[in-house]
Amino acid sequence: MEQHPERTKTLAFLADLGKPTLRGIKKCPKCGTINGTRGLSCKNKSCGAVFRDGVRKQLPSIDAVRIVTGSASQVYSVRLRDRGPDYRGFVELGTSEAVQTVDGTIITHITGRCFVPTCFKVSTQGASEYQCQHVKLATECHLEATPHTLKSSVLNSLQVSGETKQAIWTLATESSGPLVQRITKSIMVVKCKASPKHSLGFLHVSFHEKARMKGVTERKFYCSCQAFKASKPGSIKEESPKRCIHFYACVCAFASDEKLGQEFSYFINFHSTGLQANTETQLLAIYPQDPTSQAAVSAVSKARKKKKDDITVSQPIDESQVSLSFQDWLASVTERINQTMHYQFNGRPEPLVFHVPQTFFDALQQRISMGSKKKRLPNSTSGFVRKDAVPLGTFSKYTWQITNVLQVKQIFDTPEMPLEVTRSFIENRDGTYELFKCPKVQVESIAEAYRRVEKQPTIRPLELKTFLRVGNMSPEQKEPTPFIIEWIPDILPRLKIGEMRIKLVYGHHRNGHIECREQQPPLGHNLELISCRFQQS
C-alpha cells in the first residue's frame, strides 16, 4: 500500500502527544452535550443547564410554572430559553387521551397550544416532531404558582382615581382565580382583559433589583401590556410618572401581605411618594409625605367641591343625567349591613328590606355564584298569597343561605364600601356605645406602614367588638349559622322591581370574651313554606 509522505510526517510529529485528555471541554451532566469549560450554560437549548455559580441559577422547575386559574383550564408560564431567564410566555394544555398502538404500547396524547409570539404552535405530545419546546416544558411541569390575596381595604386606601380602582376590582372579580400570583422571585402573573395579544387573559409583570457600583441599586419594573414603556423608578421624571393598572394591582397585593410588603417596600414607597398629574376629574396624589403638601391637596379638594356645589345651585339638574350604578347601590347595602352590627343592640336585628331592580339583583346573584361554573340555585323556594296588604296576589320567594363568612364578604365588598365582618366600639359614661376608628388609618400611607420596623399597637380603653355570625362559631355548634338573602321578584311588575330581604345575626366581644345577649329563635325559623322546597344541587 502506497503511503503519503506528508501524512507520515504529520503523524510522526503528533506521535508523542499521548492519549487525548479532553482538556478544555466537558460533557453536560444533564444531557451529555460537549461544551467548553468556559461556557456559562449548556449550548443545547432544550437542556438549559447552568454551569457557573456566579450566574443566577435557574432550577428546572422554574422553566415552567402552572398558573392558578380557578377553573379546569391548564395554563402555564414558560421560560423562553433562547432569550434569557426573564422572558416568559404562556402555554395552554388541553385534554389527555390514552391510545394503544398495534404492538400494545400505550401512548398518552396531550394537546397543547403555544402562545409564545415567536412560536404559536398547536402540538400533541404523541407527535414529538410537531411539538415545540414550550409545550414540552409545560407537560413536564410539576410546580404551581403562589397566589396572593388582594385586600379590598388596601385597594380602597390606594389614592388613585376611582376608574383605576374600579378597573382593578373588575379584573379581580369578573373571573375566577387570583388577580396576582408569583412565578419566580421577580416575576408575577396578573389577570388582564383578553385581547389578541393576551388571549388567555394573563400577562407577566417583572420587578428587578440590580446592584451597581458604589453601593447604588438599580430598580425597575416592566409590564408586558406595554401601556407604558419599561421604566426605572429611580430615573422617572417626577412630573409624569405613569403606571398601568397591572402595576397598581401588584402594589396592592404586596401591601396586603407583610412579607411581600417588606420585600417590595421600595416599589410601594416609590408609588406612594410619586407625584401624579392633577386633572379636572381625578386627583392622583399618592399620600404626600409632607404635611404642607397634604394641606395643599385638601385645599384643592375643598375648592373643587365648593365650585361643584356652586354650579349645582346656579344651574338646574338634568334628570336624565342622574343615575345610580350597581356598585353604588351595592355599596349602600353594604353600609346598611355595617350599620346594623351595632354593639348597643342584641345581635338579632329585624330583616333588612330593599326594593331592588331585577337587573341589580341579577348582578348580585352573579356574585353569589362566583367561583362556580354553574349559576347557584337558591337553597329553597316558597310561594305565598298576600291578602291583607298591597300588592295583592300570589308571589314566589327564593332563599339563599350562605354559611361561609369569606363568601359573604366577597359578595358585598366594594371598593368604596368594604364589608366589616368585625366592628370596634367605645362605651360612653351613659351606657351608650359609639363606633371606634383608629385615626392612623386615615393619615398613614401604605408606604409608612411598611417603612417602620416595629409598629406600636393602638391603646384602647376597652376591647368592644361586634362580629358577623356565619358558619360554625364553636366546636359544639351542630348546624352552621346562615347569612340569608331572600328575593321576591315583581313586587312592582311594570318596572321589574322586587323585594330583597337580608337576615343576619352578629355577636359581641368584650375584651376578647364572647358576651351573651338575650337568646332568640334561630335565624330562618317559622318560614312560611306552602309550595315546594328543594336542596341546592
Side-chain angles (χ1 to χ4, degrees), residues 448-501:
E448 289 172 344
Y450 290 100
R451 185 179 293 120
R452 292 182 285 111
V453 178
E454 295 183 358
K455 294 180 63 178
Q456 296 297 330
T458 303
I459 299 176
R460 296 184 175 94
L462 276 178
E463 190 75 12
L464 304 177
K465 286 187 176 182
T466 59
F467 61 95
L468 190 62
R469 285 185 174 271
V470 179
N472 290 325
M473 308 304 297
S474 65
E476 296 79 15
Q477 185 175 348
K478 296 182 179 179
E479 294 295 331
T481 304
F483 183 99
I484 295 178
I485 302 175
E486 296 179 347
W487 172 244
I488 304 174
D490 294 339
I491 290 293
L492 302 178
R494 292 183 61 182
L495 296 179
K496 295 294 182 183
I497 291 180
E499 183 179 281
M500 181 179 74
R501 290 173 173 261

CSV table of all heavy atoms in Angstrom, one decimal, residues 448-501:
chain,number,residue,atom,x,y,z
A,448,GLU,N,-45.8,54.1,54.6
A,448,GLU,CA,-45.4,54.3,56.0
A,448,GLU,C,-45.6,53.1,56.9
A,448,GLU,O,-44.9,52.8,57.8
A,448,GLU,CB,-46.2,55.5,56.6
A,448,GLU,CG,-45.7,56.8,56.0
A,448,GLU,CD,-46.7,57.9,56.4
A,448,GLU,OE1,-47.8,57.6,56.9
A,448,GLU,OE2,-46.3,59.1,56.3
A,449,ALA,N,-46.7,52.3,56.5
A,449,ALA,CA,-47.0,51.1,57.3
A,449,ALA,C,-45.9,50.1,57.2
A,449,ALA,O,-45.7,49.3,58.1
A,449,ALA,CB,-48.3,50.5,56.8
A,450,TYR,N,-45.1,50.1,56.1
A,450,TYR,CA,-44.1,49.1,55.9
A,450,TYR,C,-42.7,49.7,56.1
A,450,TYR,O,-41.7,49.0,56.1
A,450,TYR,CB,-44.2,48.4,54.5
A,450,TYR,CG,-45.4,47.5,54.4
A,450,TYR,CD1,-46.5,48.0,53.8
A,450,TYR,CD2,-45.4,46.2,54.9
A,450,TYR,CE1,-47.7,47.2,53.7
A,450,TYR,CE2,-46.5,45.4,54.9
A,450,TYR,CZ,-47.6,45.9,54.3
A,450,TYR,OH,-48.7,45.1,54.2
A,451,ARG,N,-42.6,51.0,56.2
A,451,ARG,CA,-41.3,51.6,56.4
A,451,ARG,C,-40.8,51.4,57.8
A,451,ARG,O,-39.6,51.3,58.1
A,451,ARG,CB,-41.4,53.1,56.1
A,451,ARG,CG,-40.0,53.8,56.1
A,451,ARG,CD,-40.1,55.3,55.7
A,451,ARG,NE,-40.5,55.4,54.4
A,451,ARG,CZ,-41.6,56.0,54.0
A,451,ARG,NH1,-42.4,56.5,54.8
A,451,ARG,NH2,-41.9,56.0,52.7
A,452,ARG,N,-41.7,51.4,58.8
A,452,ARG,CA,-41.3,51.3,60.2
A,452,ARG,C,-41.1,49.8,60.5
A,452,ARG,O,-41.9,49.0,60.2
A,452,ARG,CB,-42.4,51.9,61.1
A,452,ARG,CG,-42.5,53.4,61.0
A,452,ARG,CD,-43.5,54.0,61.9
A,452,ARG,NE,-44.9,53.8,61.4
A,452,ARG,CZ,-45.8,52.9,62.0
A,452,ARG,NH1,-45.4,52.3,63.0
A,452,ARG,NH2,-47.0,52.8,61.4
A,453,VAL,N,-40.0,49.5,61.2
A,453,VAL,CA,-39.7,48.1,61.5
A,453,VAL,C,-40.7,47.6,62.6
A,453,VAL,O,-41.2,46.5,62.5
A,453,VAL,CB,-38.3,48.0,62.0
A,453,VAL,CG1,-38.0,46.6,62.4
A,453,VAL,CG2,-37.3,48.5,61.0
A,454,GLU,N,-41.0,48.4,63.6
A,454,GLU,CA,-41.8,48.0,64.7
A,454,GLU,C,-43.0,48.9,64.7
A,454,GLU,O,-42.9,50.1,64.7
A,454,GLU,CB,-41.1,48.0,66.0
A,454,GLU,CG,-39.9,47.0,66.1
A,454,GLU,CD,-39.3,47.1,67.5
A,454,GLU,OE1,-39.7,47.9,68.3
A,454,GLU,OE2,-38.4,46.3,67.7
A,455,LYS,N,-44.2,48.4,64.8
A,455,LYS,CA,-45.5,49.2,64.9
A,455,LYS,C,-46.0,49.0,66.3
A,455,LYS,O,-46.2,47.9,66.8
A,455,LYS,CB,-46.5,48.7,63.8
A,455,LYS,CG,-46.1,48.9,62.4
A,455,LYS,CD,-47.1,48.3,61.5
A,455,LYS,CE,-48.4,49.1,61.6
A,455,LYS,NZ,-49.5,48.6,60.7
A,456,GLN,N,-46.2,50.2,66.9
A,456,GLN,CA,-46.8,50.2,68.3
A,456,GLN,C,-48.3,50.0,68.2
A,456,GLN,O,-48.9,50.7,67.5
A,456,GLN,CB,-46.4,51.5,69.0
A,456,GLN,CG,-44.9,51.7,69.2
A,456,GLN,CD,-44.3,50.7,70.1
A,456,GLN,OE1,-45.0,50.1,70.9
A,456,GLN,NE2,-43.1,50.3,69.8
A,457,PRO,N,-48.8,49.1,68.9
A,457,PRO,CA,-50.3,48.9,68.8
A,457,PRO,C,-51.0,50.0,69.5
A,457,PRO,O,-50.5,50.7,70.4
A,457,PRO,CB,-50.5,47.6,69.6
A,457,PRO,CG,-49.3,47.5,70.6
A,457,PRO,CD,-48.2,48.1,69.8
A,458,THR,N,-52.2,50.3,68.9
A,458,THR,CA,-53.0,51.4,69.5
A,458,THR,C,-53.6,51.0,70.8
A,458,THR,O,-54.1,49.9,71.0
A,458,THR,CB,-54.2,51.8,68.5
A,458,THR,OG1,-53.6,52.1,67.2
A,458,THR,CG2,-55.0,53.0,69.0
A,459,ILE,N,-53.5,51.9,71.8
A,459,ILE,CA,-54.0,51.6,73.1
A,459,ILE,C,-55.5,51.9,73.1
A,459,ILE,O,-56.0,53.0,72.8
A,459,ILE,CB,-53.3,52.5,74.2
A,459,ILE,CG1,-51.8,52.1,74.2
A,459,ILE,CG2,-53.9,52.2,75.6
A,459,ILE,CD1,-51.0,53.0,75.1
A,460,ARG,N,-56.3,50.9,73.5
A,460,ARG,CA,-57.8,51.1,73.5
A,460,ARG,C,-58.2,51.0,75.0
A,460,ARG,O,-57.7,50.1,75.7
A,460,ARG,CB,-58.5,50.1,72.7
A,460,ARG,CG,-58.2,50.2,71.2
A,460,ARG,CD,-59.0,49.2,70.4
A,460,ARG,NE,-58.8,49.3,69.0
A,460,ARG,CZ,-58.0,48.7,68.2
A,460,ARG,NH1,-57.2,47.8,68.8
A,460,ARG,NH2,-57.9,48.9,66.9
A,461,PRO,N,-59.2,51.8,75.4
A,461,PRO,CA,-59.6,51.7,76.8
A,461,PRO,C,-60.3,50.4,77.1
A,461,PRO,O,-60.2,49.8,78.1
A,461,PRO,CB,-60.6,52.9,76.9
A,461,PRO,CG,-61.0,53.2,75.5
A,461,PRO,CD,-59.8,52.9,74.7
A,462,LEU,N,-61.1,49.9,76.1
A,462,LEU,CA,-61.8,48.6,76.2
A,462,LEU,C,-61.9,48.0,74.9
A,462,LEU,O,-62.0,48.7,73.9
A,462,LEU,CB,-63.2,48.8,76.8
A,462,LEU,CG,-63.4,48.9,78.3
A,462,LEU,CD1,-64.9,49.1,78.7
A,462,LEU,CD2,-62.9,47.6,79.0
A,463,GLU,N,-61.8,46.7,74.8
A,463,GLU,CA,-61.9,46.0,73.5
A,463,GLU,C,-63.3,45.5,73.4
A,463,GLU,O,-63.7,44.4,73.8
A,463,GLU,CB,-60.9,44.8,73.5
A,463,GLU,CG,-60.8,44.1,72.1
A,463,GLU,CD,-60.0,45.0,71.2
A,463,GLU,OE1,-59.3,45.9,71.6
A,463,GLU,OE2,-60.0,44.6,70.0
A,464,LEU,N,-64.2,46.4,72.7
A,464,LEU,CA,-65.6,46.0,72.5
A,464,LEU,C,-65.8,45.9,71.0
A,464,LEU,O,-65.5,46.8,70.2
A,464,LEU,CB,-66.5,47.2,73.0
A,464,LEU,CG,-66.3,47.5,74.5
A,464,LEU,CD1,-67.2,48.7,74.8
A,464,LEU,CD2,-66.6,46.3,75.4
A,465,LYS,N,-66.2,44.7,70.6
A,465,LYS,CA,-66.3,44.4,69.2
A,465,LYS,C,-67.6,43.7,68.9
A,465,LYS,O,-68.1,42.9,69.7
A,465,LYS,CB,-65.2,43.6,68.7
A,465,LYS,CG,-63.9,44.3,68.5
A,465,LYS,CD,-62.8,43.4,67.8
A,465,LYS,CE,-61.5,44.2,67.6
A,465,LYS,NZ,-60.5,43.4,66.9
A,466,THR,N,-68.2,43.9,67.7
A,466,THR,CA,-69.2,43.0,67.2
A,466,THR,C,-68.6,42.2,66.0
A,466,THR,O,-67.7,42.7,65.3
A,466,THR,CB,-70.4,43.9,66.7
A,466,THR,OG1,-70.0,44.8,65.6
A,466,THR,CG2,-71.1,44.6,67.8
A,467,PHE,N,-69.1,41.0,65.8
A,467,PHE,CA,-68.6,40.2,64.7
A,467,PHE,C,-69.8,39.5,64.0
A,467,PHE,O,-70.8,39.1,64.7
A,467,PHE,CB,-67.6,39.2,65.2
A,467,PHE,CG,-68.1,38.2,66.2
A,467,PHE,CD1,-68.6,37.0,65.9
A,467,PHE,CD2,-68.2,38.6,67.6
A,467,PHE,CE1,-69.1,36.1,66.8
A,467,PHE,CE2,-68.6,37.7,68.5
A,467,PHE,CZ,-69.1,36.4,68.1
A,468,LEU,N,-69.7,39.3,62.7
A,468,LEU,CA,-70.8,38.7,62.0
A,468,LEU,C,-70.8,37.2,62.2
A,468,LEU,O,-69.7,36.5,62.1
A,468,LEU,CB,-70.6,39.0,60.5
A,468,LEU,CG,-71.7,38.6,59.5
A,468,LEU,CD1,-73.0,39.4,59.8
A,468,LEU,CD2,-71.3,38.9,58.1
A,469,ARG,N,-71.9,36.7,62.6
A,469,ARG,CA,-72.0,35.2,62.9
A,469,ARG,C,-72.4,34.5,61.6
A,469,ARG,O,-73.5,34.6,61.2
A,469,ARG,CB,-73.0,35.0,64.0
A,469,ARG,CG,-72.6,35.3,65.4
A,469,ARG,CD,-73.6,34.9,66.4
A,469,ARG,NE,-73.2,35.1,67.8
A,469,ARG,CZ,-72.5,34.2,68.5
A,469,ARG,NH1,-72.2,33.0,68.0
A,469,ARG,NH2,-72.2,34.4,69.7
A,470,VAL,N,-71.5,33.8,61.0
A,470,VAL,CA,-71.7,33.0,59.8
A,470,VAL,C,-70.9,31.7,60.0
A,470,VAL,O,-69.8,31.7,60.3
A,470,VAL,CB,-71.3,33.7,58.6
A,470,VAL,CG1,-71.5,32.9,57.3
A,470,VAL,CG2,-72.0,35.1,58.4
A,471,GLY,N,-71.6,30.6,59.7
A,471,GLY,CA,-71.0,29.3,59.8
A,471,GLY,C,-71.0,28.7,61.2
A,471,GLY,O,-71.7,29.2,62.1
A,472,ASN,N,-70.1,27.8,61.5
A,472,ASN,CA,-69.9,27.2,62.8
A,472,ASN,C,-69.0,28.1,63.7
A,472,ASN,O,-67.8,28.2,63.4
A,472,ASN,CB,-69.4,25.8,62.7
A,472,ASN,CG,-70.4,24.8,62.1
A,472,ASN,OD1,-71.6,24.9,62.4
A,472,ASN,ND2,-69.9,23.8,61.4
A,473,MET,N,-69.5,28.6,64.8
A,473,MET,CA,-68.7,29.5,65.6
A,473,MET,C,-68.1,28.8,66.8
A,473,MET,O,-67.3,29.4,67.5
A,473,MET,CB,-69.7,30.6,66.1
A,473,MET,CG,-70.5,31.4,65.0
A,473,MET,SD,-69.4,32.1,63.7
A,473,MET,CE,-68.5,33.2,64.7
A,474,SER,N,-68.4,27.5,67.0
A,474,SER,CA,-67.8,26.8,68.1
A,474,SER,C,-67.8,25.3,67.7
A,474,SER,O,-68.6,24.9,66.9
A,474,SER,CB,-68.5,27.1,69.4
A,474,SER,OG,-69.8,26.6,69.3
A,475,PRO,N,-66.9,24.5,68.3
A,475,PRO,CA,-67.0,23.0,68.1
A,475,PRO,C,-68.3,22.4,68.5
A,475,PRO,O,-68.7,21.4,67.9
A,475,PRO,CB,-65.8,22.5,68.9
A,475,PRO,CG,-64.9,23.7,69.1
A,475,PRO,CD,-65.8,24.9,69.2
A,476,GLU,N,-69.0,23.0,69.4
A,476,GLU,CA,-70.2,22.4,69.9
A,476,GLU,C,-71.4,22.6,69.0
A,476,GLU,O,-72.4,22.0,69.1
A,476,GLU,CB,-70.6,22.9,71.3
A,476,GLU,CG,-69.5,22.5,72.4
A,476,GLU,CD,-68.3,23.3,72.4
A,476,GLU,OE1,-68.4,24.4,71.7
A,476,GLU,OE2,-67.3,23.0,73.0
A,477,GLN,N,-71.3,23.6,68.1
A,477,GLN,CA,-72.4,24.0,67.2
A,477,GLN,C,-72.5,23.0,66.1
A,477,GLN,O,-71.6,22.6,65.4
A,477,GLN,CB,-72.1,25.4,66.6
A,477,GLN,CG,-73.3,25.9,65.8
A,477,GLN,CD,-73.0,27.3,65.3
A,477,GLN,OE1,-72.1,28.0,65.8
A,477,GLN,NE2,-73.8,27.8,64.4
A,478,LYS,N,-73.8,22.4,66.0
A,478,LYS,CA,-74.0,21.3,65.1
A,478,LYS,C,-74.5,21.9,63.7
A,478,LYS,O,-74.0,21.4,62.7
A,478,LYS,CB,-75.1,20.4,65.6
A,478,LYS,CG,-74.7,19.7,66.9
A,478,LYS,CD,-75.8,18.7,67.4
A,478,LYS,CE,-75.4,18.0,68.6
A,478,LYS,NZ,-76.4,17.1,69.1
A,479,GLU,N,-75.3,22.9,63.7
A,479,GLU,CA,-75.8,23.5,62.5
A,479,GLU,C,-75.2,24.8,62.3
A,479,GLU,O,-75.2,25.7,63.2
A,479,GLU,CB,-77.3,23.6,62.5
A,479,GLU,CG,-78.1,22.3,62.5
A,479,GLU,CD,-77.9,21.5,61.2
A,479,GLU,OE1,-77.7,22.1,60.2
A,479,GLU,OE2,-78.0,20.3,61.3
A,480,PRO,N,-74.6,25.1,61.1
A,480,PRO,CA,-73.9,26.4,60.8
A,480,PRO,C,-75.0,27.5,60.8
A,480,PRO,O,-76.1,27.4,60.4
A,480,PRO,CB,-73.3,26.2,59.5
A,480,PRO,CG,-74.1,25.1,58.8
A,480,PRO,CD,-74.5,24.2,59.9
A,481,THR,N,-74.6,28.7,61.3
A,481,THR,CA,-75.4,29.9,61.3
A,481,THR,C,-75.4,30.5,59.9
A,481,THR,O,-74.3,30.8,59.3
A,481,THR,CB,-74.9,30.9,62.3
A,481,THR,OG1,-74.9,30.3,63.6
A,481,THR,CG2,-75.8,32.1,62.3
A,482,PRO,N,-76.6,30.6,59.2
A,482,PRO,CA,-76.6,31.1,57.8
A,482,PRO,C,-76.7,32.6,57.8
A,482,PRO,O,-77.3,33.3,58.6
A,482,PRO,CB,-77.8,30.4,57.2
A,482,PRO,CG,-78.7,30.4,58.4
A,482,PRO,CD,-77.9,30.2,59.6
A,483,PHE,N,-76.2,33.2,56.7
A,483,PHE,CA,-76.5,34.6,56.3
A,483,PHE,C,-77.5,34.4,55.2
A,483,PHE,O,-77.2,33.8,54.1
A,483,PHE,CB,-75.2,35.3,55.8
A,483,PHE,CG,-75.4,36.7,55.4
A,483,PHE,CD1,-75.0,37.7,56.3
A,483,PHE,CD2,-75.9,37.1,54.2
A,483,PHE,CE1,-75.2,39.0,55.9
A,483,PHE,CE2,-76.0,38.4,53.8
A,483,PHE,CZ,-75.7,39.4,54.7
A,484,ILE,N,-78.7,35.0,55.3
A,484,ILE,CA,-79.8,34.7,54.5
A,484,ILE,C,-80.1,35.8,53.5
A,484,ILE,O,-80.2,37.0,54.0
A,484,ILE,CB,-81.0,34.3,55.3
A,484,ILE,CG1,-80.8,33.0,56.0
A,484,ILE,CG2,-82.3,34.1,54.4
A,484,ILE,CD1,-81.9,32.5,56.9
A,485,ILE,N,-80.2,35.5,52.3
A,485,ILE,CA,-80.7,36.5,51.3
A,485,ILE,C,-82.0,36.0,50.6
A,485,ILE,O,-82.0,34.9,50.1
A,485,ILE,CB,-79.6,36.7,50.2
A,485,ILE,CG1,-78.3,37.2,50.8
A,485,ILE,CG2,-80.1,37.7,49.1
A,485,ILE,CD1,-77.2,37.3,49.8
A,486,GLU,N,-83.1,36.7,50.8
A,486,GLU,CA,-84.4,36.4,50.2
A,486,GLU,C,-84.7,37.3,49.1
A,486,GLU,O,-84.4,38.5,49.1
A,486,GLU,CB,-85.4,36.4,51.3
A,486,GLU,CG,-85.2,35.4,52.4
A,486,GLU,CD,-86.3,35.5,53.5
A,486,GLU,OE1,-87.1,36.5,53.5
A,486,GLU,OE2,-86.4,34.6,54.3
A,487,TRP,N,-85.3,36.8,48.0
A,487,TRP,CA,-85.7,37.6,46.9
A,487,TRP,C,-87.1,37.3,46.4
A,487,TRP,O,-87.5,36.1,46.2
A,487,TRP,CB,-84.7,37.3,45.7
A,487,TRP,CG,-85.1,38.0,44.4
A,487,TRP,CD1,-85.4,37.3,43.2
A,487,TRP,CD2,-85.2,39.4,44.1
A,487,TRP,NE1,-85.7,38.2,42.3
A,487,TRP,CE2,-85.5,39.5,42.8
A,487,TRP,CE3,-85.0,40.5,44.9
A,487,TRP,CZ2,-85.7,40.7,42.2
A,487,TRP,CZ3,-85.1,41.7,44.3
A,487,TRP,CH2,-85.5,41.9,42.9
A,488,ILE,N,-87.9,38.3,46.4
A,488,ILE,CA,-89.3,38.2,45.9
A,488,ILE,C,-89.4,39.1,44.7
A,488,ILE,O,-89.5,40.4,44.8
A,488,ILE,CB,-90.3,38.7,47.0
A,488,ILE,CG1,-90.2,37.9,48.3
A,488,ILE,CG2,-91.8,38.6,46.5
A,488,ILE,CD1,-91.0,38.4,49.4
A,489,PRO,N,-89.5,38.5,43.5
A,489,PRO,CA,-89.5,39.4,42.3
A,489,PRO,C,-90.9,40.0,42.0
A,489,PRO,O,-91.9,39.5,42.5
A,489,PRO,CB,-89.1,38.4,41.2
A,489,PRO,CG,-89.5,37.0,41.7
A,489,PRO,CD,-89.4,37.1,43.2
A,490,ASP,N,-90.8,41.0,41.2
A,490,ASP,CA,-92.1,41.6,40.6
A,490,ASP,C,-93.0,42.1,41.7
A,490,ASP,O,-94.2,42.0,41.6
A,490,ASP,CB,-92.8,40.6,39.7
A,490,ASP,CG,-92.0,40.3,38.4
A,490,ASP,OD1,-91.1,41.2,38.1
A,490,ASP,OD2,-92.2,39.3,37.8
A,491,ILE,N,-92.5,42.7,42.7
A,491,ILE,CA,-93.4,43.5,43.7
A,491,ILE,C,-94.0,44.6,42.9
A,491,ILE,O,-95.1,45.0,43.1
A,491,ILE,CB,-92.6,43.9,44.9
A,491,ILE,CG1,-92.2,42.7,45.8
A,491,ILE,CG2,-93.4,44.9,45.7
A,491,ILE,CD1,-93.3,42.0,46.4
A,492,LEU,N,-93.2,45.3,42.1
A,492,LEU,CA,-93.7,46.3,41.1
A,492,LEU,C,-93.5,45.7,39.7
A,492,LEU,O,-92.4,45.9,39.1
A,492,LEU,CB,-92.9,47.6,41.3
A,492,LEU,CG,-92.9,48.2,42.7
A,492,LEU,CD1,-92.1,49.5,42.7
A,492,LEU,CD2,-94.4,48.5,43.1
A,493,PRO,N,-94.5,45.0,39.2
A,493,PRO,CA,-94.3,44.2,38.0
A,493,PRO,C,-94.0,45.1,36.7
A,493,PRO,O,-93.2,44.6,35.9
A,493,PRO,CB,-95.6,43.5,37.8
A,493,PRO,CG,-96.6,44.2,38.6
A,493,PRO,CD,-95.9,44.9,39.8
A,494,ARG,N,-94.6,46.2,36.6
A,494,ARG,CA,-94.3,47.0,35.4
A,494,ARG,C,-92.9,47.5,35.3
A,494,ARG,O,-92.3,47.6,34.2
A,494,ARG,CB,-95.3,48.2,35.4
A,494,ARG,CG,-96.8,47.8,35.2
A,494,ARG,CD,-97.7,49.0,35.1
A,494,ARG,NE,-97.3,49.8,33.9
A,494,ARG,CZ,-97.9,51.0,33.6
A,494,ARG,NH1,-98.9,51.4,34.4
A,494,ARG,NH2,-97.6,51.6,32.5
A,495,LEU,N,-92.3,47.9,36.4
A,495,LEU,CA,-90.9,48.4,36.5
A,495,LEU,C,-89.9,47.3,36.8
A,495,LEU,O,-88.7,47.6,36.9
A,495,LEU,CB,-90.8,49.5,37.5
A,495,LEU,CG,-91.6,50.7,37.2
A,495,LEU,CD1,-91.4,51.8,38.4
A,495,LEU,CD2,-91.3,51.4,35.9
A,496,LYS,N,-90.4,46.0,36.9
A,496,LYS,CA,-89.5,44.9,37.2
A,496,LYS,C,-88.6,45.2,38.5
A,496,LYS,O,-87.4,45.1,38.4
A,496,LYS,CB,-88.6,44.6,36.0
A,496,LYS,CG,-89.3,44.1,34.8
A,496,LYS,CD,-90.0,42.8,35.0
A,496,LYS,CE,-90.6,42.3,33.8
A,496,LYS,NZ,-91.3,41.0,34.0
A,497,ILE,N,-89.3,45.6,39.5
A,497,ILE,CA,-88.6,45.8,40.8
A,497,ILE,C,-89.1,44.8,41.8
A,497,ILE,O,-90.4,44.6,42.0
A,497,ILE,CB,-88.9,47.2,41.3
A,497,ILE,CG1,-88.1,48.2,40.4
A,497,ILE,CG2,-88.4,47.4,42.7
A,497,ILE,CD1,-88.3,49.7,40.7
A,498,GLY,N,-88.2,44.2,42.5
A,498,GLY,CA,-88.6,43.2,43.5
A,498,GLY,C,-88.2,43.6,44.9
A,498,GLY,O,-87.6,44.7,45.1
A,499,GLU,N,-88.4,42.7,45.9
A,499,GLU,CA,-88.1,43.0,47.3
A,499,GLU,C,-87.0,42.0,47.7
A,499,GLU,O,-87.1,40.8,47.6
A,499,GLU,CB,-89.3,42.8,48.1
A,499,GLU,CG,-89.1,43.2,49.6
A,499,GLU,CD,-90.4,43.0,50.4
A,499,GLU,OE1,-91.2,44.0,50.4
A,499,GLU,OE2,-90.5,42.0,51.1
A,500,MET,N,-85.9,42.6,48.2
A,500,MET,CA,-84.8,41.8,48.8
A,500,MET,C,-84.7,41.9,50.3
A,500,MET,O,-84.8,43.1,50.8
A,500,MET,CB,-83.5,42.2,48.2
A,500,MET,CG,-82.3,41.3,48.7
A,500,MET,SD,-80.7,41.8,47.9
A,500,MET,CE,-80.4,43.3,48.8
A,501,ARG,N,-84.6,40.8,51.0
A,501,ARG,CA,-84.5,40.8,52.5
A,501,ARG,C,-83.2,40.1,52.9
A,501,ARG,O,-82.9,39.1,52.3
A,501,ARG,CB,-85.7,40.1,53.1
A,501,ARG,CG,-87.0,40.8,53.0
A,501,ARG,CD,-88.2,40.0,53.5
A,501,ARG,NE,-89.4,40.8,53.5
A,501,ARG,CZ,-89.9,41.4,54.6
A,501,ARG,NH1,-89.3,41.2,55.8
A,501,ARG,NH2,-91.0,42.1,54.5
